[in-house]
Amino acid sequence: ASVLLVKGQTGAGKSTFLKYLHKVLWDQCSYDGYIPLFVSLVSLQNPSNNLIPQVLMGYGCSPGEIEEIRRVSKFIFLLDGFDEIKTEVNLIRSNALHTWNAKVVITCRSEFLTNRHYQRLFQPDTRDG
């Protein structure tokens, strides 16, 4: 998975931008084949583990359907509010997003990124090629 971090101050419009991007990508979905999936991270019970299956199960998908979707589909995961889940876990790695044919866009408030090595929180797994 390739990752794009969108960071900015509180109220800068990160979530609004991500929702707009979701709409634009959805309108072009049949053109490039990537399915945009908007995820409000704070709405999930445990975003550090099985993030995408949690979302897809919320849409009524069974575990077998999720595996088939993972195997054959291309996604753009739009993950909103990394700072709101108050974790220092790399969600891309902890959720094995390298096993999905996906690109990732993730938003985070700049003030949450105080560690000078914050990029490690967003680096993709090295096994994803």
Side-chain angles (χ1 to χ4, degrees):
S2 57
V3 180
L4 173 66
L5 172 64
V6 177
K7 62 181 184 168
Q9 300 300 317
T10 303
K14 299 172 300 296
S15 296
T16 301
F17 168 73
L18 213 57
K19 290 173 185 173
Y20 173 76
L21 182 60
H22 180 256
K23 181 193 178 321
V24 169
L25 292 171
W26 188 254
D27 290 345
Q28 296 177 1
C29 182
S30 62
Y31 171 72
D32 63 14
Y34 280 89
I35 302 166
L37 186 63
F38 181 89
V39 179
S40 171
L41 293 171
V42 74
S43 71
L44 298 177
Q45 203 166 41
N46 181 10
S48 296
N49 191 24
N50 292 317
L51 182 153
I52 301 304
Q54 282 182 69
V55 173
L56 295 177
M57 286 163 90
Y59 287 114
C61 296
S62 71
E65 290 169 329
I66 292 169
E67 179 55 29
E68 180 68 10
I69 290 167
R70 184 197 62 75
R71 196 175 59 71
V72 302
S73 300
K74 298 188 303 185
F75 284 94
I76 298 178
F77 299 138
L78 305 166
L79 309 180
D80 188 40
F82 180 80
D83 54 288
E84 295 177 50
I85 59 172
K86 298 174 178 34
T87 186
E88 295 226 355
V89 171
N90 180 318
L91 298 181
I92 291 87
R93 292 180 182 171
S94 70
N95 284 284
L97 294 184
H98 70 278
T99 65
W100 294 77
N101 185 358
K103 300 172 190 257
V104 178
V105 180
I106 187 166
T107 65
C108 185
R109 290 182 185 139
S110 298
E111 53 265 35
F112 182 79
L113 306 172
T114 56
N115 183 317
R116 66 181 198 158
H117 300 292
Y118 71 84
Q119 294 92 340
R120 67 179 169 74
L121 295 172
F122 309 101
Q123 290 174 336
D125 193 297
T126 56
R127 294 173 287 185
D128 64 359

